[in-house]
């Protein structure tokens, strides 16, 4: 049988010793060897077995000159406990990662992750939401489903510093860059050049110290000669709520809660920036009850940086990727706020398109105001009966 024209070999490596300490020098050397394929006519076996002196020269050259892309070949998975939600959001906004994170839609708040005051508020509103939802939607949802929906709404009262746990898989170059951006943020905060939320600097310092203890940081990879900063924080005030479309690209500014932004960030093909506001999200299930709305405002206003605080968000991306996000979020099982926000953005982009590109507008029109199982190019694995008028559902 003839040799195949194309051959695939697996050459991935793990660089963690039995103590859980990263073998950074070994990882950098391995990446430097791989970088040799750019300049060599030899095959990978010859390159991986080259003299260490040759590898060291290439490593020093690439590290010193900022040619760091070869160090993305080394991947590390970190299990992070006690991670504040806001810091998880900062990491999740950088796109170059894979994370699996504890969901506060599906797991309840406990004293291990929130303080006693927030936990009391959370439990108080769990009961209120359960009774309210059951009264209006009992024929549609089981008690277990109502409990999940109550959790989803009650978490708005917990702080963005609520502790979560997350598996964070990232390449060694990006991890070092992230650490360098944290150092930059800490420096700017100490100079009062950024409005840092309470304790964020402390947790960044703690995160960096943990990475150093695991031997994951290299000073040359952390040089940050391009002076990059975290993409989540906008440099200027996001004052106007507007949507613009140029060709297949759009940008839009709107308000949504911190909890909603955390959901939006899972769509890494779209870019997000944010500023804090002094307003709060009101769960639609209570918005017509004046007494409950007043109680909600009193309670959420007593929490510093609650997840229900509204953010001014700038979103930018391509219309193609907006449609892809809709194939996830135009679903009755998606978080209500993000589902509504996605519908709102779709409609705003559509209205802008009608001014400049009626043909593209008509293509987008078929995704507006319906569940994804009504999309022409989506095959829903579990079609539901909620095919029209998502706006009418309040939970």
């Amino acid at each position: 049988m003839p040799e195949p024209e194309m051959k695939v070999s697996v050459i991935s490596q793990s660089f963690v010793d039995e103590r859980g300490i990263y073998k950074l020098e070994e990882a950098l050397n391995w990446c430097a060897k791989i970088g040799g394929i750019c300049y060599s006519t030899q095959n990978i076996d010859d390159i991986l077995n080259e003299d260490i002196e040759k590898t060291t020269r290439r490593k020093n050259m690439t590290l010193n000159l900022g040619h760091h892309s070869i160090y993305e070949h080394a991947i590390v998975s970190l299990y992070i406990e006690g991670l504040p939600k806001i810091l998880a959001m900062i990491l999740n906004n950088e796109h170059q990662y894979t994370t699996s994170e504890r969901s506060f839609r599906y797991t309840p708040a406990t004293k291990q992750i929130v303080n006693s005051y927030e936990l009391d508020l959370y439990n108080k509103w769990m009961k209120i939401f359960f009774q309210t939802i059951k009264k209006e939607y009992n024929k549609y949802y089981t008690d277990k489903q109502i409990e999940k929906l109550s959790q989803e709404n009650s978490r708005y009262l917990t702080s963005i510093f609520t502790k979560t746990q997350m598996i964070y898989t990232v390449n060694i170059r990006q991890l070092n860059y992230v650490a360098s951006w944290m150092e930059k943020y800490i420096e700017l905060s100490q100079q009062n050049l950024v409005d840092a939320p309470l304790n964020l600097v402390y947790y960044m310092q703690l995160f960096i110290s943990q990475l150093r203890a695991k031997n994951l940081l290299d000073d040359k990879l952390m040089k940050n000669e391009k002076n990059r900063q975290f993409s989540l924080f906008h440099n200027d005030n996001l004052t106007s709520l507007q949507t613009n479309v140029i060709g297949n690209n759009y940008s839009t500014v709107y308000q949504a809660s911190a909890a909603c932004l955390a959901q939006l960030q899972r769509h890494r093909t779209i870019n997000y920036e944010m500023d804090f506001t002094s307003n709060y999200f009101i769960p639609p299930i209570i918005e017509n009850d004046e007494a409950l709305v007043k109680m909600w405002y009193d309670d959420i206003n007593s929490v510093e940086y609650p997840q229900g605080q509204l953010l001014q968000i700038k979103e930018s991306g391509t219309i193609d990727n907006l449609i892809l996000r809709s194939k996830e979020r135009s679903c009755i099982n998606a978080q209500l706020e993000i589902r509504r926000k996605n519908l709102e953005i779709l409609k705003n982009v559509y209205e802008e398109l009608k001014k400049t590109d009626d043909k593209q507008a008509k293509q987008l029109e078929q995704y507006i105001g319906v569940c994804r199982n009504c999309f022409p190019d989506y095959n829903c694995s579990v079609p539901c009966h909620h095919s029209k008028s998502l706006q009418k559902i309040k939970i």
Side-chain angles (χ1 to χ4, degrees), residues 44 55 113 149 174 268 285 316 323:
I44 189 64
T55 301
I113 60 174
L149 291 165
Q174 179 72 0
R268 286 171 284 175
I285 192 67
S316 57
I323 292 171

Side-chain angles (χ1 to χ4, degrees), residues 274-292:
M274 56 150 276
D275 279 338
F276 288 99
T277 80
S278 57
N279 300 320
Y280 303 106
F281 177 76
I282 303 174
I285 192 67
I286 66 166
E287 63 186 359
N288 294 323
D289 188 315
E290 188 176 334
L292 285 180

